[in-house]
């Protein structure tokens, strides 16, 4: 029988791995929590305590970090990079990227 902390650690590590492996796809946090047998509010609260970020903030940070790497190391167009990291709408990708980094993707690449 597992203690609460062991269960929590296992679930949070599993969630982080899942998000890291699937950040390119659309992830529904409510669906994820339900499939894992957790209430949505319990999952979000505990994930935030465990990582310092909500699940969505965590996924966005993975996407933006990977976009930064692609902007620095490839010549792919900004819209394609947005698509690669999980954003169908290039304008939305640019907005999220700017909010996270303080730069537009094209300015980030130039700098």
């Amino acid at each position: 029988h597992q203690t609460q902390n062991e269960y929590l650690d296992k679930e949070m590590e599993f969630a982080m791995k899942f998000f890291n492996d699937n950040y390119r796809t659309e992830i529904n946090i409510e669906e994820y929590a339900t499939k894992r047998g957790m209430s949505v509010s319990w999952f979000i609260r505990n994930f935030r305590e465990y990582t310092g970020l909500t699940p969505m903030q965590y996924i966005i940070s993975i996407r933006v970090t990977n976009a930064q790497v692609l902007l620095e190391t490839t010549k792919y167009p900004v819209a394609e990079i947005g698509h690669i990291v999980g954003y169908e709408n290039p304008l939305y990708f640019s907005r999220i990227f700017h909010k996270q980094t303080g730069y537009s993707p094209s300015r980030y690449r130039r700098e």
Side-chain angles (χ1 to χ4, degrees):
H1 128 40
Q2 290 183 319
T3 67
Q4 177 66 20
N5 286 348
E6 288 171 343
Y7 170 76
L8 183 66
D9 289 351
K10 188 179 112 205
E11 283 299 334
M12 297 305 115
E13 290 296 326
F14 187 89
M16 290 167 61
K17 180 171 177 10
F18 179 83
F19 296 153
N20 278 296
D21 292 347
N22 296 285
Y23 71 90
R24 291 179 178 95
T25 64
E26 189 176 323
I27 298 173
N28 182 315
I29 303 302
E30 290 78 12
E31 192 176 291
Y32 174 84
T34 303
K35 282 185 177 174
R36 296 293 300 165
M38 300 175 265
S39 82
V40 177
S41 59
W42 184 91
F43 173 65
I44 292 172
R45 183 176 57 254
N46 283 285
F47 191 88
R48 181 181 220 157
E49 285 177 17
Y50 194 81
T51 65
L53 301 168
T54 66
M56 207 68 240
Q57 289 169 332
Y58 186 83
I59 293 163
I60 289 169
S61 74
I62 296 168
R63 288 176 173 171
V64 169
T65 300
N66 281 285
Q68 288 173 304
V69 170
L70 290 170
L71 286 164
E72 293 169 10
T73 61
T74 72
K75 300 242 184 264
Y76 292 140
V78 169
E80 189 170 343
I81 289 174
H83 183 75
I84 290 169
V85 300
Y87 293 104
E88 295 300 317
N89 182 326
L91 184 58
Y92 184 64
F93 164 65
S94 291
R95 229 182 280 140
I96 292 284
F97 189 92
H98 185 272
K99 187 176 179 186
Q100 295 295 310
T101 65
Y103 297 96
S104 70
S106 49
R107 182 167 174 218
Y108 182 87
R109 177 177 265 163
R110 281 195 308 272
E111 306 274 328

